[in-house]
Amino acid sequence: MLTDLLPASQPETVPVAEAAGRYLYADLEAKVSHPSATESALDGIACRETDTLSATQSRPLRLKVVGESRAGVPFAGHVGAGECVRIYTGAPVPGGADAICPVEQLEDDDSDAVLLLRPASPSDVRPEGGDFRAGEVVLHTGQRLTPARLALAVSLGHAEVTVRRRLRVALLSTGDEVREPGTVLTPGQVYDSNRYGLAAMIREAGAEVIDLGHAPDSPQRLAELVEGAGGADVLLTSGGVSMGKYDFMRDLLLEQGRVSFWKVRLRPGGPAMLGGWRGLPVFGLPGNPVSSLVVFQVIVRPALTGEQPFTLRLRAATPFRAIADKAAYWRGNIQGGTVSDYGKQGSGVLRSLSDTGALV
């Protein structure tokens, strides 16, 4: 597996406020139960279900109000026959009560009584520990702390969590034609979109970026910049790995490093390379912008995160061309339960990734 080529993950304990997007290094147990008490799911009254079975809109049933229960201030008494307490969402259900009648189905009779227009329902009572119980493992090693999972971790009672240390990814773009955004281009030059797009994808994958900048088509300068990747866990390059005379990243790894594979049966992204440089794993991505970003999504991101890309099964609204002996990833537009071919599938058409929502 590609993940075996990367350094073993190391633990790091961080406050939950800093843990968004991180991957859990250890399971998280609940320190408390949730709900911490049997509580109401609605605003209304808490009462005994058996007292209310005859209530209808034409023949309302009268119950005596003996108190109220609200979140943080529960009713301390006991609900007896013909009695109820006013209750609010999230408030503990008092002893003796086993059902809730919502406020929409109540009418005030006087200050000490209410009229029920329908029977109270036990289904509106949330049982103690109905979500999770103290000691239960709720979140698991390797799960990414999405906003929902982060909120859940706090609900479990954790102020800190143990997560994987972020991988440090050194990023380098190559090529004489590549220029920084904002500069004036001459014919044949392009802006360094790969470096900025890949940096964003690396961060989105939960890793840190060490920006090595841009290397011209010079073997000596390329080697100097690669040497600057010290402290990184993996090196990611774009450009210089195809079959051309000036594909010096390919030559550097072939002649002075290690090549695990070069060229994959993938379109776009066939020239992709995986190797090593003095113990540092190296992913060499193609220079064409679509190829570079697709290879990252299909090959590199799963290696960094241990997660496979999210997939959907949809009906094809248009044909998608197969390519013999290759896995083809075409850009497609999703609409409802169908996906259609974007049309412009060239590996230099970066707009095709921006305008679409799926790789098919």
Side-chain angles (χ1 to χ4, degrees), residues 38 46 69 75-79 85 87 92-98:
T38 299
S69 181
F75 177 70
H78 187 89
V79 176
V85 298
I87 198 164
V93 175
D98 61 3

Side-chain angles (χ1 to χ4, degrees), residues 41-42 98-100 118 120-127:
L42 302 170
D98 61 3
I100 305 295
R118 75 164 205 199
S121 172
S123 65
D124 292 324
V125 175
R126 297 170 178 163

